[in-house]
Amino acid sequence: MADSPNLSDSSAPPGRNDEGAGRVRWRRFAVLTVPAIAVTAGLGIALAQGALAASFAVSGQQFKVSATSLEGEGFAQYGSIDVNAREELIPVAVTAIKEAKLHSLCQSVVTTLPVVGDISLNLTAGKKTPVEASNLFVDATQLSGNAVFTNIEIGRDASTLDKGPTEAVGMQDLFAQQADTVSITDLQQTAWATNAGTFKLSGLSMNISKGKKECF
């Protein structure tokens, strides 16, 4: 019996292999791009639902903030997410206040550089006249102090918050709390981001120095 016809790739018409390889490459391209598109779409949906906190990409460094006292009107707090430049998601607790006054504010961040070592940036304000902020949002991972709230609601659905700034709402079904007013003494918090409609810093002083010098 005659040998069966050779059905190897070498018998394919010119250009046929290139088409097959092209299809394989497109499949691989799709496999790589679909997850990225899904992540981007997911971020868009989360943003629309109020799941993302800061309206900018946060840096890779947290900073510390302290104050001898904070008085605020229109308080809301809920869980949310920050996003860095690599589009990595960072869980945070958002504290939002319509109008806030802070006494003896301190903000610090430490950067470690090759050869140089630790470099500290310290900002202080409000020692005589308090710092004033409106529509203040702080995306924090730690907060401590002595707090007093008036007319507080604990366990409210985050999507229904209405005592804080207008934009201070989270995702439906998530835990949140709000109050008419808040007063915190010996405030200490570690945060990824802060933003405000207005931020008035009386007696502002900024200092950069070698070594690790933090607010607390």
Side-chain angles (χ1 to χ4, degrees):
M1 181 181 292
D3 293 338
S4 300
N6 189 344
L7 299 179
S8 66
D9 291 342
S10 61
S11 63
R16 191 68 172 269
N17 289 341
D18 292 340
E19 291 176 4
R23 285 194 294 271
V24 172
R25 284 194 291 270
W26 274 109
R27 291 193 189 100
R28 290 176 179 171
F29 176 78
V31 169
L32 293 174
T33 57
V34 167
I37 294 172
V39 170
T40 303
L43 293 177
I45 293 171
L47 181 60
Q49 294 180 340
L52 300 185
S55 58
F56 51 85
V58 300
S59 73
Q61 295 177 278
Q62 295 191 75
F63 56 92
K64 292 185 176 182
V65 177
S66 68
T68 56
S69 65
L70 177 152
E71 292 88 35
E73 295 183 2
F75 167 86
Q77 191 173 63
Y78 54 96
S80 191
I81 299 169
D82 280 346
V83 182
N84 61 22
R86 296 183 178 86
E87 294 191 348
E88 296 169 335
L89 305 183
I90 303 169
V92 295
V94 177
T95 298
I97 303 175
K98 278 187 178 180
E99 301 290 339
K101 292 184 178 181
L102 300 97
H103 297 263
S104 297
L105 173 70
C106 173
Q107 177 179 301
S108 65
V109 60
V110 178
T111 301
T112 303
L113 301 175
V115 181
V116 178
D118 291 335
I119 300 293
S120 297
L121 185 151
N122 291 78
L123 180 152
T124 59
K127 289 185 177 180
K128 295 182 178 180
T129 303
V131 170
E132 298 179 3
S134 64
N135 294 328
L136 175 67
F137 288 78
V138 180
D139 303 350
T141 55
Q142 174 272 331
L143 184 150
S144 64
N146 304 303
V148 177
F149 302 93
T150 59
N151 296 323
I152 189 169
E153 300 173 355
I154 301 174
R156 184 171 178 131
D157 189 297
S159 68
T160 68
L161 294 171
D162 57 9
K163 292 189 176 183
T166 303
E167 299 83 2
V169 292
M171 293 186 69
Q172 185 175 340
D173 297 329
L174 293 189
F175 173 92
Q177 56 186 358
Q178 63 177 6
D180 289 342
T181 66
V182 59
S183 176
I184 304 176
T185 58
D186 299 324
L187 171 68
Q188 295 183 347
Q189 61 184 0
T190 305
W192 285 104
T194 296
N195 60 289
T198 60
F199 206 39
K200 184 178 179 181
L201 298 164
S202 301
L204 172 64
S205 175
M206 188 182 74
N207 180 52
I208 297 178
S209 58
K210 292 188 64 176
K212 184 177 292 187
K213 299 177 182 179
E214 298 180 285
C215 296
F216 60 90

